[in-house]
Amino acid sequence: MITETAGVTEGKGLRHELYSYSGEAQFLTGVMSFIDDALAAGEIVLVSVPEQRERVLRERLTGSEPRVVFMDTSALGRNPARLIPAWQRWISERAEEGRPVRGVGETDWNGRGVAETAELRYHEWLLNLAFAASPAWWLLCPYDTDAVAPETMRAVGRCHPFVLESGTHRQSTDFIQEPFAWDELEPACDPFEELSYGRGDLAAVREKVAACAAPYGLRGDRLRETLVAVTEVAGNSIVHGGGHGTLRTWVQQGTLICEFRDGGVIADPMIGRRLPASRSLHGRGMWLVHQLCDLVQIRSTPESGTIVRLHIALPSL
Amino acid sequence: MRKSGVMPTLDLVEVGEHVCWIVDPLQGYTAATSAFLADGELFGDKMIIVGSPLDPHASPRALRDAMVVDPRSVRGDGSAPDMSSVFGLVRREADRAGRQGYRALRVLAVMDQLVPPDVGTDVLIDHELRMDELVADNAAIMVCAYGRDRFGAATLDHVACVHPRELGNGHSGPSFRMFNSGPDSWTVCGVVDSDGAAAFGAALAAAAALSPALRLRLDDLELMDAAGMRALVEAAAGTSVRRITVEGANPTVRSCWEMLGYSTCEVPVELTP
């Protein structure tokens, strides 16, 4: 089936398209039409969808179709900040083959809390920015309206310039090109531990976090990874955030949260979400933090400074 | 394997140890020095104090068997101290001590009198690593005394990083230590973070000057952050380095190295199991 394309102009960058569906049948209809169009145009399709969706797509794609490539996202974990660099890597690898690329990207929404939902929404907004100057490619984002809350659907609708609806690809009337509007951070859980830190206090920061994590069984490699992450963020406060900051730690719903506040401003909305460039060794600290933590929340304004929250899932005891 | 870490008293110092002693103004040198020299006499060590007598009230007995070297005779007349002459003196005396039947050479270097406070940490780190290699390779004990009121806190922290041992209480000490562990081999233990990355970079550069194909043993390194790894990559990119081989890194160090993209970079650093 070839779908209609309305109001589409070819050009550079990402064509970022929302596909709202209900149930497996609608998923297959929309996504298969997108794949069929791509294959008819001689394009490669990269597919990154939850396991259940991948299974039904594979069943539908009779025979082996080398131009449809399923991307394994399991190694990326749950932090949505790892998705943009993954797409960048996948796209650049395929672009070297000289073929136009399309993508299908759906997130597994099972078990996502308030913080993760907000970051996924931000990820959708950032995609437009991240690929604004990239070679032209087309990403279809299927959203299961049975699994995603209506207010979240409305919010992600504002982040997609295009939609696939009733078999037609068209510009979205809901898309709003404006700075991202953050929700308020959830308040810190009481009780929380607090530590003021400055130059020479990185060991104290690590001690505080290790002490908070120890009763919950965080140890070994995962504890060391956590300590690397908190060292990076506290070190940023000292170097870039006015020389000092405040750490708060608490445990909430099986997650260790380490919050850092300082007087600095992070102006780059993409901080830590770009693949490290070989030409520069600087600016890799927040990249490492995103790779090590299950979720990273950054809020930064000239008026109120910077808050960085690191989420580390605790082992089940 | 050499010991590292903080020691509460010089009574415990053993042959092959290189100790950083940051001397508080009120602490003075007398008690610790007297015990250090008395132990040298007890064990049959050849004793050298590089610097003038440390305490005008030091007992003649304490200094009786020590060779006191006038710092002016080794530091040279130039504006920058000639650290190679200090190194040459210690190496010469270490050779002689063995031939003269001593158990070991026992040296106390009063750095306050050997170098000006603004000498630069790179010069001190280079000097201390050379000394460390010498001590590790010879029957020698070396204690380097730095006055806390003469050198800045940052300088003292950097200098402590390149001594395997430090005299002090259990809470003091830098986040990491780097010391010699064999031919062309250096052990790094503790934590290399942004506080210590500059010292780590300087230590690597100094070690690379001694051996262009470096081996770094990280068995006792707890973690290294992005600033530390950048220092490692920058040192490896230096003109004097042929290759840095990293051995014994824990899984977290190894995975962070990969996450930062260095495993696929064209840098002459190789992580081996």
Side-chain angles (χ1 to χ4, degrees):
Chain A
M1 184 178 81
I2 304 299
T3 47
E4 292 179 35
T5 303
V8 177
T9 51
E10 296 297 327
K12 280 185 70 175
L14 169 67
R15 180 189 164 96
H16 189 200
E17 190 165 303
L18 174 67
Y19 174 49
S20 306
Y21 70 89
S22 173
E24 191 173 288
Q26 269 192 24
F27 169 82
L28 275 175
T29 302
V31 173
M32 282 308 300
S33 72
F34 183 76
I35 291 174
D36 289 341
D37 289 351
L39 296 180
E43 297 172 355
I44 289 177
V45 187
L46 306 177
V47 182
S48 165
V49 294
E51 192 177 355
Q52 168 70 11
R53 295 285 181 252
E54 179 176 332
R55 193 174 54 74
V56 295
L57 277 178
R58 283 186 183 277
E59 285 170 4
R60 182 60 70 91
L61 288 161
T62 49
S64 60
E65 173 50 74
R67 290 174 297 164
V68 179
V69 183
F70 288 90
M71 314 308 297
D72 179 14
T73 55
S74 59
L76 298 178
R78 292 177 69 85
N79 185 348
R82 299 177 200 150
L83 291 169
I84 286 175
W87 278 112
Q88 284 175 325
R89 190 168 54 246
W90 296 335
I91 296 294
S92 65
E93 285 169 1
R94 293 309 184 286
E96 286 173 7
E97 297 169 10
R99 285 187 176 178
V101 176
R102 291 195 194 193
V104 178
E106 181 175 9
T107 300
D108 186 353
W109 285 85
N110 283 328
R112 302 280 185 179
V114 173
E116 280 184 294
T117 301
E119 293 306 314
L120 278 164
R121 192 165 64 83
Y122 186 50
H123 159 72
E124 292 287 10
W125 182 86
L126 272 182
L127 275 165
N128 303 313
L129 186 69
F131 291 99
S134 76
W137 72 290
W138 188 339
L139 175 64
L140 185 73
C141 301
Y143 271 79
D144 185 351
T145 54
D146 297 336
V148 182
E151 63 271 22
T152 302
M153 284 306 307
R154 282 192 292 276
V156 297
R158 293 195 289 273
C159 300
H160 289 79
F162 295 89
V163 290
L164 169 59
E165 203 169 60
S166 306
T168 301
H169 302 279
R170 61 169 176 79
Q171 286 185 316
S172 170
T173 53
D174 297 329
F175 174 66
I176 302 172
Q177 195 153 19
E178 61 180 9
F180 189 78
W182 285 108
D183 298 329
E184 287 283 312
L185 284 172
E186 292 179 279
C189 263
D190 201 10
F192 55 79
E193 298 275 329
E194 191 166 286
L195 173 77
S196 295
Y197 57 88
R199 202 167 296 278
D201 289 338
L202 293 178
V205 167
R206 286 189 291 270
E207 278 176 28
K208 187 66 156 178
V209 171
C212 186
Y216 298 92
L218 192 67
R219 55 177 66 93
D221 294 342
R222 192 63 188 129
L223 175 61
R224 271 202 298 267
E225 289 170 356
T226 302
L227 297 181
V228 172
V230 300
T231 298
E232 293 292 345
V233 180
N236 281 349
S237 292
I238 292 164
V239 177
H240 305 295
H244 56 89
T246 305
L247 163 69
R248 282 181 180 176
T249 60
W250 68 93
V251 171
Q252 182 177 354
Q253 294 171 337
T255 301
L256 171 67
I257 298 176
C258 304
E259 178 189 274
F260 299 83
R261 290 173 182 257
D262 64 47
V265 180
I266 296 174
D268 180 7
M270 285 286 294
I271 187 168
R273 295 173 189 246
R274 294 185 188 88
L275 290 167
S278 57
R279 64 185 177 280
S280 172
L281 300 179
H282 291 267
R284 298 183 183 213
M286 284 307 294
W287 163 268
L288 188 59
V289 172
H290 276 300
Q291 303 307 306
L292 294 171
C293 296
D294 295 302
L295 192 73
V296 179
Q297 295 176 282
I298 301 173
R299 306 288 185 270
S300 190
T301 66
E303 296 77 30
S304 56
T306 294
I307 304 171
V308 179
R309 277 189 186 178
L310 310 183
H311 295 235
I312 297 98
L314 292 165
S316 305
L317 292 177
Chain B
M1 190 169 172
R2 299 175 75 193
K3 289 181 186 169
S4 66
V6 175
M7 51 172 39
T9 160
L10 287 177
D11 296 354
L12 305 171
V13 72
E14 295 174 2
V15 174
E17 291 198 322
H18 178 207
V19 185
C20 182
W21 178 16
I22 294 171
V23 186
D24 284 317
L26 296 177
Q27 179 188 7
Y29 292 79
T30 312
T33 306
S34 298
F36 180 65
L37 296 176
D39 282 349
E41 192 174 358
L42 181 69
F43 289 114
D45 294 341
K46 182 171 190 177
M47 293 177 285
I48 295 180
I49 299 173
V50 186
S52 58
L54 299 165
D55 182 343
H57 307 298
S59 70
R61 176 170 167 68
L63 299 174
R64 187 183 61 194
D65 297 318
M67 171 182 166
V68 179
V69 178
D70 184 341
R72 287 171 299 186
S73 70
V74 288
R75 73 180 174 214
D77 296 325
S79 55
D82 179 11
M83 304 309 289
S84 65
S85 66
V86 183
F87 178 80
L89 168 80
V90 175
R91 184 171 56 188
R92 214 166 37 245
E93 290 303 327
D95 284 345
R96 280 185 190 157
R99 288 198 305 274
Q100 291 167 342
Y102 291 101
R103 181 192 71 148
L105 178 69
R106 180 176 286 243
V107 182
L108 173 64
V110 185
M111 300 305 288
D112 303 30
Q113 297 172 13
L114 274 171
V115 292
D118 59 350
V119 63
T121 52
D122 289 0
V123 172
L124 291 173
I125 284 173
D126 178 74
H127 166 73
E128 294 294 0
L129 283 184
R130 286 174 191 275
M131 281 296 185
D132 192 61
E133 189 178 43
L134 177 69
V135 170
D137 207 28
N138 288 275
I141 295 168
M142 178 128 195
V143 175
C144 307
Y146 287 84
R148 192 182 293 283
D149 55 350
R150 187 163 167 82
F151 298 92
T155 299
L156 294 174
D157 204 40
H158 286 197
V159 162
C161 291
V162 284
H163 289 80
R165 300 290 263 167
E166 184 173 355
L167 184 63
N169 61 46
H171 300 293
S172 59
S175 58
F176 81 93
R177 293 183 192 280
M178 180 165 150
F179 51 90
N180 187 265
S181 49
D184 300 332
S185 178
W186 299 85
T187 288
V188 184
C189 62
V191 169
V192 181
D193 57 23
S194 53
D195 279 348
F200 183 53
L204 288 172
L210 296 174
S211 43
L214 278 184
R215 279 200 312 141
L216 288 185
R217 295 283 335 173
L218 303 190
D219 309 70
D220 294 321
L221 184 79
E222 197 178 333
L223 59 92
M224 187 186 291
D225 74 357
M229 292 192 179
R230 187 174 72 234
L232 176 55
V233 171
E234 286 173 342
T239 51
S240 60
V241 178
R242 202 165 66 236
R243 187 216 314 265
I244 297 179
T245 304
V246 176
E247 299 171 353
N250 67 42
T252 305
V253 171
R254 299 172 72 83
S255 61
C256 288
W257 181 258
E258 283 190 22
M259 286 171 186
L260 287 168
Y262 295 135
S263 57
T264 54
C265 257
E266 290 180 2
V267 289
V269 179
E270 184 186 6
L271 266 69
T272 62

